[in-house]
Amino acid sequence: MNQTTNSILMIRPVAFRMNEQTAVNNYYQKVLDGLSKETVNAKAQQEFDALVQKLRMVGINVIVIDDTLSPDTPDSIFPNNWISFHENGDVVLFPMFAENRREERREDILDILEDNGFVINEIMDYTSAEEDGFYLEGTGSLILDRENGKAYCALSPRADEELFIEFCEDFEYSPVIFEAYQTVDGERKLIYHTNVMMCVGETFAVICADCIDDKKERKMVLDSLRGDEKEVILITEAQVNNFTGNMLELKGADDRRYLVMSNSAHQSLTKKQIAQLEEHVTILSSSLDTIEACGGGSARCMMAEIFLPREE
């Protein structure tokens, strides 16, 4: 199994704004005072287009699909939460916490991927869990180490343990389960998505171990990463607040490896951390200030990796 891919799906926003339905447990979202919805969306589109251009310039295959005005999907820019693509041709549809995010699931996107030469064999649909109030938000909730057959998951209202284990059984991943916290107004609260506090690359992992309050769980997660001979690069909780954990390794032209992140994430890295990362990858960063503030997500959330096989 490959850990990194050259192809990603990205959804260009048409009505991006702060989603009131996700703000209840995504503590990274902020209201940008004095900006109209139109201005917020226009800024998000500029940030989106600039990132796509940078990715394409280094040879990453970006399939951009425009969002639609109806239904109202303010978070459609984050497709990695509702869909994932696998090397055996499986597509997974995930159950979403916010009702207005469920509308992001679009069948026509699968048709477009097939038109682009990707093969889809089977659709694994876990979305019926929504009816019972259980959620698992794609590669936001799951960090897949595809190469080593492991899946990491920080449990939260958006990452149900039983659903996670069911996914792992269906796709033959060994589950690594823990709880990750952040300090909100002096209180420790569960982090809503695993991918804001850790990223697993081919030969390295970036993680905020300080978010894992339980010492046994922290040791288990770090031992698991190091046991797979990954260099573990530790980040702080302050860096997590700058979306430093929300990064993704991709392959560009000539299989060169890039680590994609936002400017705020890049700027919050120390010289030592940058040197550690550059042993493994080339850093590619782009300004995502509006998307991060209103959406409470960053570069990783915007990219759904495509591992599907290609037509012969």
Side-chain angles (χ1 to χ4, degrees):
M1 289 280 216
N2 291 307
Q3 178 60 12
T4 50
T5 179
N6 171 252
S7 297
I8 56 172
L9 164 73
M10 293 180 69
I11 307 290
R12 190 174 190 269
V14 292
F16 176 81
R17 64 167 197 278
M18 179 173 150
N19 184 355
E20 52 294 331
Q21 291 187 19
T22 54
V24 294
N25 57 19
N26 177 347
Y27 307 109
Y28 300 97
Q29 288 174 247
K30 300 176 186 73
V31 177
L32 293 182
D33 289 327
L35 289 187
S36 69
K37 280 183 185 174
E38 291 73 24
T39 304
V40 167
N41 183 63
K43 281 177 176 285
Q45 285 179 334
Q46 284 167 355
E47 292 171 4
F48 179 95
D49 293 342
L51 175 58
V52 169
Q53 189 181 0
K54 285 183 180 181
L55 293 168
R56 285 177 171 162
M57 278 175 71
V58 298
I60 293 165
N61 175 29
V62 188
I63 294 174
V64 174
I65 295 176
D66 286 305
D67 190 21
T68 52
L69 276 169
S70 175
D72 175 35
T73 47
D75 275 332
S76 61
I77 199 168
F78 303 132
N80 83 309
N81 298 138
W82 67 265
I83 195 163
S84 69
F85 305 101
H86 302 265
E87 278 185 32
N88 62 356
D90 282 357
V91 173
V92 183
L93 301 179
F94 291 96
M96 308 282 284
F97 169 81
E99 286 185 25
N100 64 2
R101 291 214 61 190
R102 299 170 194 174
E103 305 276 6
E104 293 172 31
R105 298 189 291 250
R106 286 167 49 190
E107 274 184 41
D108 65 310
I109 288 174
L110 301 182
D111 299 335
I112 294 167
L113 291 178
E114 287 182 321
D115 291 343
N116 275 275
F118 291 102
V119 176
I120 294 171
N121 291 324
E122 199 174 338
I123 295 172
M124 295 284 286
D125 189 343
Y126 296 98
T127 59
S128 62
E130 288 166 353
E131 295 160 26
D132 302 312
F134 299 114
Y135 315 107
L136 188 65
E137 297 198 331
T139 51
S141 301
L142 313 163
I143 307 290
L144 300 179
D145 183 346
R146 294 169 189 258
E147 220 170 355
N148 293 296
K150 289 181 184 174
Y152 294 83
C153 182
L155 301 179
S156 77
R158 306 201 198 177
D160 177 72
E161 184 168 7
E162 283 182 28
L163 262 181
F164 172 57
I165 290 169
E166 186 183 336
F167 170 88
C168 288
E169 286 173 352
D170 289 343
F171 284 88
E172 297 179 356
Y173 282 98
S174 301
V176 183
I177 300 169
F178 56 99
E179 286 182 340
Y181 293 86
Q182 64 190 129
T183 300
V184 182
D185 302 330
E187 269 184 78
R188 293 298 272 173
K189 296 199 168 173
L190 287 169
I191 286 179
Y192 80 110
H193 277 161
T194 318
N195 76 2
V196 296
M197 53 75 66
M198 77 181 285
C199 149
V200 174
E202 274 181 37
T203 52
F204 67 95
V206 174
I207 184 167
C208 180
D210 294 346
C211 290
I212 307 174
D213 290 354
D214 185 296
K215 283 183 183 150
K216 276 188 191 158
E217 286 187 356
R218 187 187 314 155
K219 183 178 184 306
M220 170 197 70
V221 173
L222 293 173
D223 285 351
S224 174
L225 294 166
R226 290 185 178 126
D228 295 324
E229 295 181 3
K230 294 193 190 293
E231 181 182 1
V232 173
I233 297 159
L234 296 173
I235 57 173
T236 64
E237 213 171 307
Q239 288 178 311
V240 169
N241 289 328
N242 285 301
F243 294 100
T244 310
N246 197 247
M247 35 174 82
L248 180 66
E249 183 183 15
L250 293 169
K251 275 187 206 146
D254 303 321
D255 277 351
R256 189 164 175 180
R257 289 154 58 191
Y258 292 88
L259 188 60
V260 185
M261 65 186 75
S262 69
N263 278 357
S264 64
H266 195 174
Q267 286 160 8
S268 80
L269 288 167
T270 64
K271 281 194 177 121
K272 184 189 172 197
Q273 289 167 330
I274 288 172
Q276 284 177 296
L277 287 168
E278 286 179 341
E279 291 285 310
H280 303 272
V281 289
T282 302
I283 292 174
L284 188 158
S285 61
S286 198
S287 170
L288 300 172
D289 294 351
T290 311
I291 293 167
E292 288 176 332
C294 295
S298 187
R300 167 67 189 103
C301 308
M302 294 167 64
M303 302 179 285
E305 302 147 277
I306 306 171
F307 285 92
L308 297 169
R310 292 270 194 177
E311 281 172 10
E312 291 298 320

